[in-house]
């Protein structure tokens, strides 16, 4: 006599994967790779192209090229899609994701963090932001070395490939990282580009074996077990 196997029914699938309200506030982790943003007649800045679904009345507006002034326009002209933002405004539930990357929610309390521009998923409207490029970086390396500085008080969501690792930096213990595996660092740090090889040997190489980011001072650095390679875009 056969028995009915209820493990794979549509009903069970819906129950296991359906959206759930957890009452966690403005940012809510719907899953490790999907962020829910609860809008109530306000707005949030999101990475362009990260919206996968929404409920309610939400309008989307691409950030104007001159929203951050002429300097901001020139920065965005060379940072590519990774640094471009969309303003989601209204009331409802907004769902964001970025190529299945893992999402980390951070609460800033009058603090500053610097994040690889491509790894910023979303942040609250009252968080101050700016785009910067590492000093002394040649154009051949610039594709993945743009960062977004986020400061103030509010929620920020960033993404990582797989599980991140946070390393503590002290004056006695500097930290060296592969630029393509570096996700974020505390605003108290100003990294330097470090290399011990000649310019000729760097031609055609883009990995951390060629050059490293050097962090000295007091703070932390977040890295991921994955090397992202970017191409600068016009």
């Amino acid at each position: 006599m056969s028995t009915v196997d209820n493990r794979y029914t549509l009903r069970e699938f819906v129950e296991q994967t359906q959206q759930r309200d957890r009452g966690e506030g403005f940012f809510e982790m719907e899953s490790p790779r999907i962020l829910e943003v609860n809008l109530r007649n306000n707005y949030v800045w999101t990475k362009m192209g990260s919206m996968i679904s929404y409920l309610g009345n939400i309008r989307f507006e691409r950030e104007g090229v001159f929203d951050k002034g002429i300097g901001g326009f020139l920065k965005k002209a060379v940072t590519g899609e990774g640094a471009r933002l969309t303003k989601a405004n209204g009331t409802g539930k907004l769902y964001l994701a970025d190529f299945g990357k893992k999402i980390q929610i951070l609460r800033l309390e009058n603090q500053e963090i610097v994040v690889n521009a491509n790894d910023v998923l979303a942040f609250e409207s009252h968080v101050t932001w700016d785009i910067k490029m590492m000093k002394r970086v040649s154009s051949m390396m610039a594709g993945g070395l743009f960062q977004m500085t986020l400061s103030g008080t509010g929620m920020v969501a960033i993404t990582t490939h797989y599980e991140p690792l946070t390393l503590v930096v002290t004056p006695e213990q500097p930290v060296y990282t592969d630029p393509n595996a570096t996700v974020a660092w505390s605003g108290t740090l100003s990294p330097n580009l470090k290399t011990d090889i000649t310019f000729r040997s760097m031609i055609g190489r883009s990995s951390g074996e060629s050059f490293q980011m050097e962090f000295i001072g007091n703070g932390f650095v977040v890295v991921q077990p994955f090397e992202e390679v970017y191409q600068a875009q016009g």
Side-chain angles (χ1 to χ4, degrees):
M1 181 177 179
S2 63
T3 58
V4 177
D5 191 343
N6 292 319
R7 291 178 299 169
Y8 307 111
T9 63
L10 284 176
R11 178 178 178 179
E12 184 187 32
F13 172 78
V14 171
E15 288 178 349
Q16 289 183 352
T17 61
Q18 69 180 343
Q19 177 267 338
R20 291 176 173 82
D21 290 319
R22 295 177 172 84
E24 296 176 357
F26 188 67
F27 281 0
E28 182 173 313
M29 293 296 300
E30 191 60 36
S31 80
R33 292 170 176 80
I34 298 177
L35 177 70
E36 177 184 286
V37 183
N38 294 292
L39 293 171
R40 297 178 179 86
N41 197 27
N42 54 356
Y43 71 90
V44 63
W45 286 111
T46 70
K47 180 177 181 179
M48 183 175 293
S50 62
M51 186 276 290
I52 59 172
S53 183
Y54 70 91
L55 310 173
N57 182 19
I58 300 176
R59 301 175 301 280
F60 300 91
E61 177 184 351
R62 178 173 175 172
E63 175 204 1
V65 294
F66 293 106
D67 281 359
K68 300 291 284 186
I70 295 296
F73 169 73
L74 293 175
K75 290 175 184 177
K76 281 179 284 185
V78 294
T79 53
E81 293 294 334
R84 293 178 181 164
L85 301 172
T86 297
K87 180 190 292 184
N89 191 1
T91 298
K93 294 182 180 296
L94 172 64
Y95 297 96
L96 306 174
D98 187 18
F99 292 96
K101 294 168 67 177
K102 192 152 189 172
I103 299 170
Q104 315 291 333
I105 297 178
L106 312 173
R107 182 189 299 277
L108 300 183
E109 297 179 347
N110 195 27
Q111 296 165 305
E112 181 177 281
I113 188 171
V114 184
V115 185
N116 186 311
N118 191 58
D119 297 324
V120 176
L121 181 63
F123 54 92
E124 288 193 79
S125 60
H126 45 273
V127 171
T128 302
W129 63 278
D130 192 17
I131 298 172
K132 296 182 179 180
M133 185 182 72
M134 280 186 61
K135 297 178 181 179
R136 300 187 297 118
V137 179
S138 68
S139 60
M140 64 176 284
M141 302 177 188
L145 295 179
F146 285 88
Q147 296 88 35
M148 187 175 293
T149 301
L150 302 165
S151 59
T153 298
M155 304 293 287
V156 174
I158 67 174
T159 59
T160 62
H161 286 278
Y162 313 107
E163 297 288 346
L165 171 67
T166 299
L167 301 168
V168 176
V169 182
T170 67
E172 298 76 23
Q173 184 60 62
V175 171
Y176 303 90
T177 66
D178 181 336
N180 296 103
T182 306
V183 176
W185 59 87
S186 53
T188 56
L189 299 174
S190 296
N192 298 311
L193 193 68
K194 181 179 183 294
T195 179
D196 295 322
I197 60 180
T198 64
F199 180 78
R200 173 176 301 223
S201 65
M202 294 175 68
I203 298 297
R205 301 177 64 188
S206 60
S207 74
E209 296 177 358
S210 300
F211 57 98
Q212 304 89 40
M213 294 173 72
E214 178 185 47
F215 296 88
I216 301 175
N218 289 291
F220 63 86
V221 182
V222 182
V223 294
Q224 62 184 1
F226 186 92
E227 292 180 278
E228 289 187 276
V229 179
Y230 311 97
Q231 298 296 325
Q233 302 178 28

